[in-house]
């Protein structure tokens, strides 16, 4: 059987069974599906190969992120204490077997507060990434597929957003939306829309010119079917990688805004707020800022390490 016939589904090889679609339509879909699966397998193979060449770094990153996920979903498993309860007589004690991260100025266990604050910071970062990916992907898909004036208008708007520093844009949005963890997350997500839309647009333009897209159009498929069935699935790979990278950046941005006092009000133990709360005690209680800051840094580094492994281009280097 020839390669063309092998690509065709059974219903396309037997027209009596493929009653609802032409063989050309089925052929175009089969070619697109095979190209999509092949590209996906290649991407994951490269990612696994890159991680296999660095097993120690990959294992440490995965282990740390697993601990972070457990702390975010089930904080009581890692720290069963009350993050808001303190013993004033035990204030500003250094790290010890009784208090792994020491205690703060009113005697609260810092380790417990870091663990219970994970859910606030990670959930805010997840919301920010979701907002950026959904809005940015939609704009990039529309811009790259429609072209013309639509493309020009969307990309000029993206240029304006990219010209504004992300933190400054987030601060402006928070001023309009108000303080709070969710508003901080939305502001951080909106600040990342422009970069996501540009990546998505470039992938859509590349996929749109592929032979199987032309075959799908020539077989009579409408633009909407081609867009949803072929263009969108084959354009999301780099956007997913960017989403993992943006997750680390979102943690930094959310923590920075929380440090400045725009996040959840005290005494909520957000990571950025914990760093901010210890800055007045740097001389005699270094652990109040160092250990929460180290937690933020390790989480961002672990996310970036895995994102580089998922990057098909970075995986080959």
């Amino acid at each position: 059987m020839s390669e063309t016939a092998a690509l065709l589904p059974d219903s396309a090889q037997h027209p009596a069974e493929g009653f609802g679609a032409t063989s050309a339509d089925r052929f175009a879909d089969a070619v697109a599906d095979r190209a999509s699966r092949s590209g996906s397998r290649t991407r994951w193979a490269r990612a696994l190969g890159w991680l296999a060449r660095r097993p120690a770094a990959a294992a440490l990153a995965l282990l740390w992120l697993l601990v972070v996920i457990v702390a975010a979903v089930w904080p009581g498993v890692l720290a069963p204490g009350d993050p808001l309860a303190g013993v004033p007589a035990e204030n500003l004690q250094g790290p010890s077997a009784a208090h792994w991260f020491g205690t703060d100025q009113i005697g609260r266990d810092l380790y417990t507060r870091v663990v219970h604050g994970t859910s606030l910071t990670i959930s805010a970062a997840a919301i920010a990434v979701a907002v950026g990916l959904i809005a940015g992907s939609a704009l990039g898909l529309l811009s790259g597929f429609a072209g013309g004036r639509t493309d020009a208008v969307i990309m000029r708007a993206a240029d304006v957003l990219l010209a504004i520093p992300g933190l400054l844009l987030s601060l402006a949005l928070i001023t309009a939306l108000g303080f709070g963890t969710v508003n901080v997350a939305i502001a951080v997500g909106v600040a990342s829309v422009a970069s996501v839309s540009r990546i998505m647009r470039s992938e859509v333009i590349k996929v749109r010119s592929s032979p199987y897209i032309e075959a799908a159009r020539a077989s009579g498929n409408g633009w909407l079917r081609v867009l949803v069935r072929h263009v969108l699935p084959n354009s999301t790979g780099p956007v997913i990688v960017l989403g993992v990278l943006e997750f680390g950046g979102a943690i930094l941005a959310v923590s920075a805004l929380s440090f400045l006092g725009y996040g959840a009000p005290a005494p909520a133990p957000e990571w950025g707020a914990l760093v901010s709360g210890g800055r007045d005690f740097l001389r005699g209680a270094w652990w109040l800022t160092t250990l929460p800051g180290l937690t933020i840094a390790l989480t961002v580094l672990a996310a970036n390490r895995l994102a580089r492994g998922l990057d098909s281009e970075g995986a080959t280097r």
Side-chain angles (χ1 to χ4, degrees), residues 155-315:
M155 286 301 101
R156 296 301 76 76
D159 290 341
V160 172
L161 291 178
L162 289 172
I164 305 173
L167 186 60
L168 181 60
L169 179 58
S170 298
L171 287 172
L173 292 172
I174 291 172
T175 302
L177 296 174
F179 295 1
T181 302
V182 175
N183 291 338
V184 165
I186 294 174
V188 172
V190 171
S192 66
V193 166
S195 59
V196 175
S197 65
R198 280 196 167 276
I199 295 295
M200 188 67 174
R201 172 184 177 270
S202 64
E203 288 300 311
V204 169
I205 292 175
K206 182 170 64 176
V207 171
R208 188 182 62 182
S209 61
S210 300
Y212 61 84
I213 299 298
E214 297 176 2
R217 283 292 298 150
S219 66
N221 285 304
W223 281 117
L224 183 59
R225 176 180 171 83
V226 173
L227 183 66
V228 174
R229 183 173 176 82
H230 302 311
V231 176
L232 180 59
N234 288 284
S235 303
T236 55
V239 177
I240 293 174
V241 175
L242 180 62
V244 181
L245 282 172
E246 288 288 341
F247 183 74
I251 292 175
L252 284 177
V254 168
S255 298
L257 293 171
S258 176
F259 178 88
L260 295 174
Y262 295 106
E270 280 187 335
W271 285 354
L274 293 177
V275 176
S276 177
R279 59 183 173 175
D280 295 332
F281 303 91
L282 279 174
R283 184 180 297 274
W286 55 268
W287 57 88
L288 293 181
T289 54
T290 302
L291 296 181
L294 185 61
T295 302
I296 296 171
L298 289 175
T299 305
V300 173
L301 288 174
N304 290 349
R305 172 65 65 177
L306 292 184
R308 187 181 175 189
L310 292 173
D311 184 3
S312 59
E313 294 182 1

Side-chain angles (χ1 to χ4, degrees), residues 59-200:
L60 288 175
L62 287 171
L63 179 61
W64 179 259
L65 290 178
L66 178 62
V67 171
V68 170
I69 291 173
V70 171
V73 180
W74 304 287
V77 173
L78 299 179
D82 185 356
L84 304 180
V87 180
E90 298 180 357
N91 67 318
L92 297 180
Q93 292 187 2
S96 63
H99 304 285
W100 291 359
F101 285 12
T103 60
D104 63 8
Q105 61 272 22
I106 60 176
R108 294 174 297 196
D109 184 71
L110 185 60
Y111 168 75
T112 301
R113 288 179 61 76
V114 169
V115 171
H116 285 263
T118 304
S119 59
L120 291 173
T121 302
I122 297 301
S123 61
I127 293 172
V129 171
V131 170
L133 287 183
I134 294 173
S137 296
L139 290 174
L141 187 65
L142 177 61
S143 176
F145 199 74
R149 292 184 178 179
T150 302
D151 181 27
V153 170
I154 294 176
M155 286 301 101
R156 296 301 76 76
D159 290 341
V160 172
L161 291 178
L162 289 172
I164 305 173
L167 186 60
L168 181 60
L169 179 58
S170 298
L171 287 172
L173 292 172
I174 291 172
T175 302
L177 296 174
F179 295 1
T181 302
V182 175
N183 291 338
V184 165
I186 294 174
V188 172
V190 171
S192 66
V193 166
S195 59
V196 175
S197 65
R198 280 196 167 276
I199 295 295
M200 188 67 174

